[in-house]
Each structure stands twice: as structure tokens, then as C-alpha cells.
Amino acid sequence: MADGEMEQAEILRYHTQGTWVKMAVKNALHEPVNSQYAFSGDGQMAIIEMANASGLAFIPPEKRNVMQSSTFGTGELILNAVNRGVKEIILGIGGSATNDGGIGMAAALGYQFLDKNGQILEYNGSESFLH
């Protein structure tokens, strides 16, 4: 049940009598946007839609470039949820403006990826990551 829009999070939030967490994150082109994710009513589960941070809706068509886009903002949502003590995360991955293989999300969580020379890779879909 993943469509890349907020309906999935809204359905699960509603049926668990949960709440919304609103916060600023980076969109797929590293620009600040207002985003949100849902908490279940018991506070044990976060429902996060990648599209609500790293989604196409935040990027005008003329600026879309998967080689420069990143899932970093989605990682920021995940990190916030983890820091609030959730035990489970449901992540809807549709509607993304990215093709970074999750490297941006992992970077937001504190991971670093190195190339064959030990240099830190950019956390996007750039040539340095793909080769």
C-alpha cells in the first residue's frame, strides 16, 4: 500500500488515532521545505511518505535532475521519528524525485559512503556515486 502521496500516512494516522509531526527538511534538491509525517496513536510507529520530503511535487519540472537529487530530507524525517522513540517505521517510497539509491537518506542518519580512493561520495545520484 504505497502510492507516494500523503493518503497512506493519513489513512494509517486516522485509523490509529495518531497525530502529525510537522518540520522543515531539505527537498530533493537540498532546498528547505515544510514537511510532515504521522505518528500512530500509541506513539510507537511513524508513517513517512518519501514524496512529502523528496518528492516530485516539490521540484518544478525544469529543475528536475535525478543526478543532483537526494533522499536526504526523507532521512531527516526518519531521524526525527527515531529520536522521538518510535519502534516501527512504515516508509512509502512512491513519488520520489530521486534516484540516489537511498544514499541521501543514509547520510541524514549519519552514514558516509566512500569511493575506491576513500573520498566521501556526494549523497545524490551523481556520476561519482554511480561509477
Side-chain angles (χ1 to χ4, degrees):
M1 183 176 113
D3 65 359
E5 303 299 332
M6 288 307 297
E7 288 83 9
Q8 175 178 274
E10 173 55 19
I11 290 166
L12 294 172
R13 184 213 56 81
Y14 176 83
H15 286 288
T16 65
Q17 299 176 355
T19 58
W20 289 106
V21 174
K22 296 181 181 195
M23 61 180 286
V25 298
K26 292 184 175 112
N27 71 10
L29 293 180
H30 318 286
E31 302 163 338
V33 294
N34 292 320
S35 187
Q36 64 183 7
Y37 67 93
F39 256 125
S40 60
D42 63 6
Q44 298 297 302
M45 178 175 58
I47 306 105
I48 298 171
E49 292 285 352
M50 182 179 290
N52 202 33
S54 308
L56 282 168
F58 290 114
I59 311 296
E62 67 276 4
K63 291 179 77 179
R64 293 178 183 171
N65 180 347
V66 296
M67 299 304 283
Q68 298 303 315
S69 63
S70 167
T71 54
F72 191 88
T74 301
E76 290 177 299
L77 295 175
I78 293 169
L79 183 60
N80 186 272
V82 168
N83 288 338
R84 290 173 178 253
V86 298
K87 304 292 182 216
E88 182 178 2
I89 295 174
I90 295 177
L91 180 63
I93 59 171
S96 168
T98 68
N99 193 28
D100 73 353
I103 192 172
M105 179 180 58
L109 297 172
Y111 290 89
Q112 291 184 336
F113 295 85
L114 308 176
D115 67 13
K116 64 184 177 184
N117 299 316
Q119 300 299 309
I120 296 174
L121 293 172
E122 293 184 48
Y123 52 89
N124 58 31
S126 69
E127 297 278 344
S128 61
F129 173 62
L130 298 173
H131 295 280

